[in-house]
Amino acid sequence: MKQNRMKVEFKSISENESFARVVVSAFAAQLDPTIDEISDIKTAISEAVTNAIIHGYGSENEDKNVIVEATIDGNELTVSVTDEGEGIDNVELAMQPLYTSRPDLERSGMGFTVMETFMDSLEVKSEKGRGTTITMKKIFNSVR
Ligand SMILES: Nc1ncnc2c1ncn2[C@@H]1O[C@H](COP(=O)(O)OP(=O)(O)O)[C@@H](O)[C@H]1O
Ligand SMILES: [Mg+2]
């Protein structure tokens, strides 16, 4: 069974949203994904990394880092996005569709909903003042 792992750490600046998208989709290419599957992953990673930057750290911050880890286990891809920012008070509330703590930034409040829709599972671990790790899984069909 195929197994692999990677980890990247980058500055919490918006340029790195596209970097994270590309690096995770390049890693996932080993699973022989469809165009749609790659597009789903890119969408979900963007939402998670954007959240780390703007909510975790409050804004872009050259002195803070976002960590993306991914593993492949058979036909399953697991991706986690971690920030060591402010954390989430109420995860259940934060995950509600349309909930945003930053309406001032014209946020849609749909980031978690998008991640849940495009990936097969989503788990959020957060500690107030310590940071947040979101872990997403996607299963790739081996039969096409
Ligand atoms: N990494 C994070 N650190 C702190 N708070 C977060 C993080 N990710 C999400 N949140 C909280 O969850 C809320 C909902 O996130 P999301 O569904 O992506 O909507 P939006 O980003 O549009 O506000 C955010 O408004 C924020 O309060
Ligand atoms: Mg968001």
Side-chain angles (χ1 to χ4, degrees), residues 23-35:
V23 87
V24 174
S25 40
F27 183 73
Q30 299 162 50
L31 289 166
D32 194 21
T34 63
I35 304 279

Side-chain angles (χ1 to χ4, degrees), residues 51-52 55-56 83 87-88 94 99-101 107-112 132:
N51 280 355
H55 299 304
D83 67 73
I88 304 174
Y99 173 82
T100 181
S101 57
R107 307 299 308 164
S108 66
M110 291 301 286
F112 280 128
T132 301

